[in-house]
Amino acid sequence: ATGTWNHRSSNNTDLNFEFLTTHNKNGTLNDNLFIDATKTAGYISIIRDPREAAVSFARYMRVSIDESIDHLTIEGMNVTEKDDFPEFRLNWYKHYMSWKEQGEKDGYPGIVVRYEDLLQDSFKYFSKIIKFLTDDVGCGTYDEDKIKKCIESTSYSKMVKMHEEANYPMSKEYFKHQDWKDIFTKEQRKRIEKKFRKEMVEFGYEI
């Protein structure tokens, strides 16, 4: 699940490297692999505190917090359809594990980075991702100036301006951070922390 918004990179011999973003689980569906391992160079998984992810998902999908928590904690598989393209999603932790386990099985590397770390120290953690691409995947070159420009171009003000110019249906309010502590009831907090206590501790999230 994901709040964790998850980014996958795949290697296409005709087009060199292509970057693919997906919310789908990895693995098989009806005995068909989601991705072709022979054309996959690796994956990057951005994981987020599931309490924050629940708030973001509720706002983006325009559903209640309880509905969002249902989505993030589901035991089976969520199948959603948007613009005729179905997405096959697992819960917050199983989604991450599906990419980790399939990558290990098929032999392509991966990296996981916390969303919160990217916000707190963008240069350090974005550099970590670029190093993974250059050293482990063999994609591109490490350039500190370009990294700084990428961070600047995706700042809050730049993202708001870009969406306004494109008439994209996201207001300034969407990009403003909303702390789950100001929104959750005690029961909502308990639902997520009971479900993912061990996994949240594993990723350094306070309970």
Side-chain angles (χ1 to χ4, degrees):
T2 312
T4 109
W5 300 92
N6 296 282
H7 303 277
R8 313 301 175 196
S9 64
S10 63
N11 180 17
N12 183 302
T13 56
D14 296 322
L15 301 175
N16 198 9
F17 283 91
E18 293 180 327
F19 290 84
L20 208 43
T21 303
T22 183
H23 299 143
N24 284 284
K25 78 182 190 76
N26 201 354
T28 59
L29 183 67
N30 297 329
D31 296 324
N32 295 304
L33 278 170
F34 174 64
I35 59 173
D36 183 347
T38 65
K39 296 181 180 178
T40 302
Y43 70 91
I44 302 165
S45 182
I46 308 299
I47 199 161
R48 187 176 187 180
D49 185 323
R51 296 162 296 195
E52 295 284 4
V55 173
S56 179
F57 184 82
R59 184 168 48 175
Y60 181 72
M61 297 300 290
R62 299 180 182 179
V63 298
S64 69
I65 293 294
D66 283 320
E67 288 175 299
S68 182
I69 293 174
D70 288 343
H71 180 88
L72 293 179
T73 59
I74 191 171
E75 270 306 305
M77 183 169 62
N78 268 314
V79 181
T80 60
E81 290 192 37
K82 186 178 181 181
D83 301 326
D84 297 322
F85 291 100
E87 288 186 339
F88 304 94
R89 303 182 182 188
L90 301 177
N91 73 35
W92 177 77
Y93 189 69
K94 285 184 177 179
H95 175 85
Y96 156 72
M97 286 302 297
S98 75
W99 282 93
K100 181 177 184 293
E101 291 174 351
Q102 196 65 42
E104 291 173 349
K105 181 179 179 181
D106 290 338
Y108 48 82
I111 184 175
V112 58
V113 177
R114 297 196 323 172
Y115 174 85
E116 294 80 7
D117 292 333
L118 277 170
L119 289 182
Q120 185 174 7
D121 193 339
S122 301
F123 182 79
K124 176 181 177 180
Y125 288 95
F126 191 45
S127 294
K128 181 179 178 181
I129 292 172
I130 300 302
K131 279 286 189 182
F132 166 75
L133 292 174
T134 57
D135 298 350
D136 295 356
V137 176
C139 172
T141 56
Y142 183 85
D143 187 319
E144 288 193 358
D145 289 335
K146 287 184 178 180
I147 290 173
K148 291 174 182 177
K149 288 179 181 178
C150 285
I151 293 171
E152 180 185 354
S153 69
T154 55
S155 67
Y156 168 77
S157 59
K158 291 286 180 67
M159 293 296 289
V160 169
K161 183 179 179 181
M162 179 182 72
H163 282 77
E164 287 178 341
E165 291 176 348
N167 292 317
Y168 198 70
M170 285 187 183
S171 65
K172 290 181 180 180
E173 295 302 315
Y174 177 80
F175 289 100
K176 288 183 179 179
H177 174 69
Q178 290 184 308
D179 195 323
W180 65 267
K181 295 176 184 176
D182 299 328
I183 299 172
F184 272 26
T185 64
K186 290 183 179 180
E187 182 59 31
Q188 288 168 339
R189 174 177 182 171
K190 182 179 178 181
R191 285 184 64 193
I192 286 185
E193 293 180 357
K194 182 179 179 181
K195 178 73 174 179
F196 298 123
R197 175 175 294 275
K198 177 182 175 182
E199 293 82 1
M200 289 173 70
V201 170
E202 175 186 339
F203 284 107
Y205 292 120
E206 294 183 3
I207 303 292

